[in-house]
Amino acid sequence: MLEGLDAVDWRGLEAVGPDHPATDVPKVLRRIARADATTRPEAVERAYGDLQGLLLPLGRVTGAGTAALPFLVDLALDPDTAARPDLVEVLADLAHNGETGEAGAVDSGWEAAWQRQWPRLRTLFDDRDPLVRRAALRLIAGRTAPLLERWHQETDLSVRVTVLLALGEAAAAEDLTGSTYAEVRAVLDGVLHGENPVLRVAAVIATAPLDPQAALRASPMLLELLTDPALAPEFGKVWYTLDCEYPYDRNDVASWALQLLRLDTAVATSFVAGLAEAGSRIGDAELRRCALDEAWGLLVARPSAAEAVLPLAAGLLADPDDDVRYKAAHLLAVLGHRAAPYADRLAALLDDPGESQFFDGTVGDHARWALTRIGDPRALPDLVERLVAPYRDMQGRGYCISDPRQPDVADVLRPLHAHAGVLLPAVREALSDEVARAGWLVRDLREVLHAWGESPLLPGEPGPYPQPWEPPPMEPAQAEAAVLAYAADGQLHGKFATALSTLTRHGHLAPPVREALEAQRAADCRLSEYGDYRALLQDEEIRARIDTLLALP
């Protein structure tokens, strides 16, 4: 093993960096070769991490990579090598850098060295270990012909799923025609109508790059298979992709399928409703959570999804699972006045302490916010205290901008100007406490007071209060150009709202601008740059401004 390693002039090879000399490559290769069943997993993992640091600079293949290649292949082919799939991944990453690296970034001897080793590398596809065979698929990623060959020869289900998914992507990327394309479609169609249910789902997803309508046609089948309780655990055993180390579970696959169904919002919302119904029928809380997550994704992108999402979320407000109730209440909250028919159900949850696994706040917090959005006075008692209390001992707050998180305090209170008389004493008391503590919410609470037309300063505080920043005014011609630019590229520029305000003051709309605004108003997309609850708030605000503009002469 590793014969000839010392014959290489490692000192004369290019280093990746000052901390990664090429002379370290043989040392790391020997560490990997010595590892066996008694070696601690952390030591093996560290060795492979060191190997990647030495051989895989971003977008490059150095002379050390070329020199190391035959020894890497030796180790990959030896069944006694520890964590061989990891070694195959290093080979695949080297090959990727060799194919995509810019001129001068790939060692001049790399291509010839790879071609010399390819006959040996091909034997990895017939390895006894399916983990090695699956990792080796990255060596032929994007190449339809060898993937077709692997499909016809592979027997392990976990590898077959990976091959099938890669096959559809490769055939689409290569823009195939003729007999090879016909063979790919025959394979996919045969699997789609075959006996293995997991492969049938994979066939739908694999066909999508070639035929985007395929998932829409297969929606009933997808729903049936993805809600089968007996089948659910099987996805997590065999559903691997080329770019993910870990398997997809049933919910991950359902989410993937839904991305394909979004071509038709009606089909997508019907699919989500089917997930929720099945989750309730078979007692599967994970499936109900999945349905609400996907409903949220649809709602934050497509206004037309609201009609179907509303009853779905309302129907899960009394769910026994805390996370389900939390997400259902959040959905009703962002839907605002549409949720008014369910105000009594929301009011019954005001003291619900249920929490989500990953998000802050409680079911009661979201139910209270929903009632404020509806305009229901049952939300007002103790509202300010409940909003600010969590921040008193908070060291920090983390969230993903696309998640159904708890709203910021200012976003809850700012729209409640009509109830300022009731809420004002509590807001001032909270501001006083925050100022004394140098707390998180000083700016939020001052903004609320300013929005209500009240002084944002406490008694005795020196003034004047600095006004919130506003973008500079625009000329009407600039405003018209901003609206037309958005209509052309679909990107909501930061100055779009300012442009609408300018045009409103101008009091007149030119025909091209009116047509652009009418098209934007009719579009089934959120007029917002946000990905969380603010997407719906901003969308509401901008659509209201557009309505005002369209009423102008």
Side-chain angles (χ1 to χ4, degrees):
M1 179 65 68
L2 302 183
E3 294 180 6
L5 193 62
D6 292 331
V8 177
D9 180 17
W10 297 101
R11 292 183 181 277
L13 297 175
E14 176 189 1
V16 171
D19 298 329
H20 297 88
T23 51
D24 283 352
V25 173
K27 301 175 186 177
V28 175
L29 290 174
R30 287 193 172 96
R31 283 163 54 195
I32 293 173
R34 287 195 301 266
D36 57 25
T38 66
T39 306
R40 289 182 298 110
E42 311 90 80
V44 176
E45 183 178 350
R46 187 163 56 250
Y48 278 110
D50 292 343
L51 186 66
Q52 291 172 331
L54 289 164
L55 299 182
L56 292 171
L58 184 64
R60 295 170 55 206
V61 177
T62 65
T66 301
L69 180 59
F71 307 110
L72 294 172
V73 177
D74 287 343
L75 290 170
L77 295 177
D78 184 351
D80 293 328
T81 299
R84 279 198 301 150
D86 291 345
L87 193 58
V88 177
E89 291 286 347
V90 173
L91 285 164
D93 288 338
L94 275 170
H96 176 76
N97 285 1
E99 291 177 359
T100 62
E102 297 180 359
V106 179
D107 179 66
S108 59
W110 168 256
E111 180 62 28
W114 182 261
Q115 292 301 325
R116 287 194 298 272
Q117 296 299 324
W118 180 244
R120 301 174 67 208
L121 287 164
R122 280 181 58 90
T123 64
L124 291 170
F125 298 123
D126 298 315
D127 195 274
R128 289 179 296 176
D129 186 349
L131 300 182
V132 171
R133 299 201 302 274
R134 188 168 64 241
L137 292 174
R138 285 193 59 208
L139 301 175
I140 54 174
R143 296 161 59 190
T144 306
L147 285 169
L148 271 172
E149 179 183 347
R150 293 316 312 152
W151 171 257
H152 291 304
Q153 296 182 13
E154 183 57 60
T155 58
D156 185 271
L157 182 57
S158 70
V159 186
R160 298 197 92 200
V161 169
T162 311
V163 173
L164 199 65
L165 295 171
L167 183 60
E169 292 183 2
E174 292 185 320
D175 196 20
L176 294 177
T177 58
S179 60
T180 305
Y181 176 81
E183 185 179 357
V184 171
R185 290 306 302 261
V187 165
L188 294 174
D189 290 345
V191 176
L192 179 62
H193 298 94
E195 295 182 359
N196 187 289
V198 173
L199 284 177
R200 292 177 69 195
V201 175
V204 175
I205 292 176
T207 303
L210 300 167
D211 178 6
Q213 300 294 318
L216 298 177
R217 295 192 299 270
S219 177
M221 183 200 77
L222 289 172
L223 183 61
E224 177 187 355
L225 296 179
L226 289 168
T227 58
D228 184 343
L231 187 59
E234 301 306 310
F235 290 97
K237 297 176 184 177
V238 300
W239 193 286
Y240 288 87
T241 64
L242 290 180
D243 55 0
C244 187
E245 177 182 0
Y246 302 103
Y248 284 44
D249 63 21
R250 184 270 316 274
N251 288 3
D252 296 328
V253 177
S255 179
W256 192 345
L258 189 67
Q259 295 302 313
L260 305 176
L261 297 176
R262 286 190 179 192
L263 288 174
D264 188 320
T265 303
V267 173
T269 53
S270 176
F271 184 81
V272 169
L275 293 180
E277 186 278 328
S280 297
R281 174 168 39 82
I282 64 178
D284 189 334
E286 287 191 3
L287 192 56
R288 301 195 299 277
R289 292 184 210 125
C290 175
L292 287 173
D293 288 339
E294 299 308 324
W296 165 252
L298 285 169
L299 184 64
V300 82
R302 298 279 185 264
S304 65
E307 184 176 353
V309 169
L310 181 62
L312 184 158
L316 294 172
L317 284 175
D319 195 272
D321 184 79
D322 287 356
D323 210 353
V324 170
R325 296 196 310 282
Y326 179 102
K327 292 173 178 178
H330 181 83
L331 282 169
L332 290 180
V334 296
L335 284 166
H337 287 286
R338 287 175 177 264
Y342 306 103
D344 289 344
R345 296 191 203 179
L346 290 163
L349 298 176
L350 285 174
D351 297 317
D352 189 328
E355 297 179 333
S356 174
Q357 184 177 1
F358 299 109
F359 309 125
D360 57 358
T362 67
V363 176
D365 293 333
H366 285 282
R368 182 169 284 98
W369 180 40
L371 290 176
T372 68
R373 295 264 294 149
I374 293 169
D376 192 308
R378 285 175 287 186
L380 300 181
D382 299 324
L383 173 62
V384 176
E385 172 61 20
R386 288 178 178 269
L387 287 173
V388 303
Y391 289 87
R392 293 197 180 107
D393 300 317
M394 186 181 291
Q395 299 301 310
R397 185 183 182 196
Y399 54 82
C400 174
I401 60 171
S402 61
D403 285 336
R405 66 181 179 92
Q406 192 171 354
D408 294 337
V409 170
D411 287 334
V412 178
L413 293 177
R414 195 184 296 111
L416 300 181
H417 181 269
H419 302 286
V422 175
L423 298 173
L424 191 57
V427 171
R428 290 202 180 280
E429 181 180 351
L431 175 60
S432 178
D433 180 61
E434 288 291 299
V435 169
R437 298 171 51 257
W440 290 76
L441 299 177
V442 172
R443 188 174 70 174
D444 277 45
L445 295 171
R446 292 195 196 278
E447 285 183 6
V448 169
L449 291 172
H450 178 76
W452 289 354
E454 301 287 340
S455 171
L457 300 174
L458 295 171
E461 277 192 307
Y465 170 70
Q467 298 295 316
W469 180 85
E470 292 186 3
M474 304 172 71
E475 293 295 326
Q478 293 177 301
E480 291 180 347
V483 171
L484 295 174
Y486 172 53
D489 62 23
Q491 298 296 317
L492 189 65
H493 306 281
K495 55 188 178 181
F496 185 69
T498 305
L500 297 181
S501 298
T502 298
L503 293 174
T504 301
R505 289 194 300 270
H506 182 54
H508 176 74
L509 282 182
V513 177
R514 177 178 294 278
E515 292 175 7
L517 290 173
E518 288 173 343
Q520 291 162 14
R521 186 68 177 84
D524 190 21
C525 63
R526 294 293 174 193
L527 304 179
S528 174
E529 71 267 34
Y530 293 115
D532 55 17
Y533 73 90
R534 293 171 295 178
L536 282 86
L537 302 190
Q538 187 179 38
D539 182 70
E540 290 173 359
E541 178 185 349
I542 288 180
R543 288 178 183 276
R545 292 190 181 194
I546 290 176
D547 287 342
T548 300
L549 275 169
L550 292 178
L552 293 174

